[in-house]
């Protein structure tokens, strides 16, 4: 697989059970700091565990723990699907 085959997308597009690697975090303000403190940094592997019944928030497994974030925040985090 070459670099052109890897398509960058956003975290909110993952389906339950899919894994990805974070490439950029574009969230602004205090939410950005909180997410980065919880390990949401470039290069980290992340998996979507499940969505809430109405699709928001979304529950992710990152570094061995569960993290639920809003879909709006997830749409500002860029990933490469694995």
């Amino acid at each position: 697989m070459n670099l052109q085959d890897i398509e960058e997308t956003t975290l909110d597009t993952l389906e339950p059970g899919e894994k990805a690697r974070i490439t950029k975090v574009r969230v602004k303000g205090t939410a950005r700091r909180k997410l980065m403190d919880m390990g949401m940094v470039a290069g980290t592997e992340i998996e979507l565990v499940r969505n809430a019944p109405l699709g928001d928030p979304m529950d992710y497994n990152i570094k061995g723990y569960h993290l639920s974030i809003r879909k709006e925040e997830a749409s500002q985090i860029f990933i490469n699907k694995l």
Side-chain angles (χ1 to χ4, degrees), residues 1 13 23 30 32 34 36 41 44 46 49 56 61 78-79:
M1 179 184 311
T13 63
T23 57
T30 57
R32 177 184 172 87
K34 288 180 183 176
M36 294 186 89
V41 296
T44 303
I46 190 166
V49 178
D56 199 17
N61 184 353
F78 292 82
I79 57 167

Side-chain angles (χ1 to χ4, degrees), residues 6-43:
I6 300 173
E7 185 176 324
E8 190 173 64
T9 184
T10 56
L11 192 56
D12 62 318
T13 63
L14 279 183
E15 296 293 326
E18 283 189 313
K19 293 182 179 179
R21 188 169 312 279
I22 298 169
T23 57
K24 293 178 251 178
V25 178
R26 299 286 185 193
V27 179
K28 303 279 185 209
T30 57
R32 177 184 172 87
R33 182 67 194 178
K34 288 180 183 176
L35 290 172
M36 294 186 89
D37 286 347
M38 292 186 277
M40 191 82 65
V41 296

Side-chain angles (χ1 to χ4, degrees), residues 48-62:
L48 177 61
V49 178
R50 63 182 159 264
N51 292 320
L54 297 177
D56 199 17
M58 305 171 91
D59 183 34
Y60 296 94
N61 184 353
I62 182 168

